[in-house]
Amino acid sequence: MGPEAHAFRRDASAGWSTTQGTRVTVTYDPRDPQGTATVAGRGSWSPVLQSLALAAGCGMAALGFAVLLYFEIFGSG
């Protein structure tokens, strides 16, 4: 995609820092680029990293609850 301007629809997720003319990174479906383009934003994590972070957080919480349950059932000593 070249430097030509494209019309855009402002979404609430775009935030206050994105105005017309701001250079942004976008992700899109190559089969329908104008209908599926999404602003990735500065500093945003890729969807894979977001999913991994969520899974890691849920795994740590489950492990913590399992340890707590173990000590509740069998005691600390």
Side-chain angles (χ1 to χ4, degrees), residues 24-52:
V24 295
T25 303
V26 296
T27 59
Y28 61 91
D29 181 357
R31 294 170 291 183
D32 184 19
Q34 290 198 347
T36 60
T38 303
V39 175
R42 283 176 267 166
S44 64
W45 291 16
S46 74
V48 173
L49 289 177
Q50 290 176 4
S51 298
L52 288 174

Side-chain angles (χ1 to χ4, degrees), residues 54-69:
L54 178 64
C58 291
M60 290 190 316
L63 180 63
F65 286 127
V67 168
L68 182 65
L69 181 62

Side-chain angles (χ1 to χ4, degrees), residues 2 4 32 47 64 70 76:
E4 64 272 9
D32 184 19
Y70 175 82
S76 61

